[in-house]
Amino acid sequence: SIWMGESEFNGKNFLTTYMPLVDYKGKAKGMLCMSLLETLVEELVESILFVCIITWVIILALYFILAYRIRTKLIRSVEVLSERVSVIAEGDLTTEIEENTYAQEIHQLSSDVREMQNKIREMVLPIAKASEALVGSMQQLSGASMQMSNAANRQAASLEEISSSMEEMGANIQQNTENSMHTNKIA
């Protein structure tokens, strides 16, 4: 087993480590001893700690600088493009997407979105025109339907008058028939 401890030699403190040397059968063949001045170890630890702290400060500074650059270059470009796409998604196909404000990858994406917008315009424009024509046809059909409904109502009223007149004529004929039969009996 390894032994670690402090030792003193010529009035100086040492950190000492003893480690047995064994062969492949596990038999002890000797002892390895390593000693370092305690002040040297303390200086070494302080130096390592100082280097670690400086390294972390540099890494954090680089991180914040890189994060700021990514934010201003890439993320802002994505936000602007996202705003434009949201406007298009709401149905406004007239908004324009600038192409010179984006990073290279975002530039390609904005070009693709602009191309998609143009294709959607090409598809929607004939549909919009057909819809307008359809609305016009529906209005004409509605007008013709109203005219037919009014004509049918007038004809129904005329038929009702004719039916009423025919009922009166039927009643008169019936009355005449009865009068005629009564006259025939008297005669």
Side-chain angles (χ1 to χ4, degrees):
S1 71
I2 299 174
W3 179 85
M4 296 174 67
E6 294 182 17
S7 60
E8 185 178 327
F9 183 71
N10 285 337
K12 295 183 181 178
N13 289 334
F14 288 89
L15 293 175
T16 306
T17 302
Y18 297 97
M19 183 173 75
L21 297 173
V22 294
D23 64 6
Y24 67 94
K25 293 180 183 177
K27 187 175 180 184
K29 295 291 185 181
M31 183 71 70
L32 178 63
C33 175
M34 185 170 71
S35 293
L36 292 173
L37 272 171
E38 192 173 340
T39 56
L40 181 64
V41 171
E42 289 173 359
E43 289 175 8
L44 185 60
V45 168
E46 286 176 6
S47 296
I48 290 173
L49 185 60
F50 179 75
V51 168
C52 287
I53 290 172
I54 294 298
T55 303
W56 275 108
V57 167
I58 291 171
I59 288 172
L60 283 174
L62 288 174
Y63 170 77
F64 285 115
I65 290 169
L66 185 61
Y68 176 76
R69 293 206 41 132
I70 288 173
R71 170 86 177 127
T72 56
K73 288 280 189 177
L74 186 62
I75 295 176
R76 183 62 190 145
S77 296
V78 170
E79 288 173 349
V80 169
L81 184 60
S82 177
E83 290 169 6
R84 298 295 194 278
V85 170
S86 294
V87 170
I88 291 170
E90 291 173 1
D92 182 4
L93 297 177
T94 61
T95 187
E96 292 300 324
I97 297 175
E98 304 86 26
E99 58 181 275
N100 59 358
T101 60
Y102 306 110
Q104 183 177 357
E105 294 81 7
I106 305 301
H107 173 73
Q108 180 61 44
L109 179 61
S110 70
S111 294
D112 293 343
V113 169
R114 191 172 45 260
E115 183 65 26
M116 177 186 70
Q117 179 185 19
N118 291 335
K119 296 280 185 194
I120 291 173
R121 270 189 206 149
E122 289 173 7
M123 290 183 335
V124 169
L125 190 61
I127 293 171
K129 287 182 180 178
S131 294
E132 288 175 7
L134 185 61
V135 166
S137 297
M138 294 301 282
Q139 288 173 343
Q140 289 176 352
L141 184 60
S142 176
S145 175
M146 288 296 287
Q147 288 176 354
M148 285 179 61
S149 175
N150 290 339
N153 285 339
R154 284 193 306 269
Q155 285 182 354
S158 294
L159 284 174
E160 197 173 307
E161 286 179 24
I162 291 171
S163 174
S164 178
S165 296
M166 293 205 46
E167 281 181 20
E168 271 184 48
M169 282 177 51
N172 286 340
I173 291 172
Q174 180 68 32
Q175 182 66 37
N176 285 341
T177 303
E178 287 175 7
N179 287 341
S180 186
M181 290 176 91
H182 185 61
T183 305
N184 193 17
K185 277 186 185 180
I186 294 176

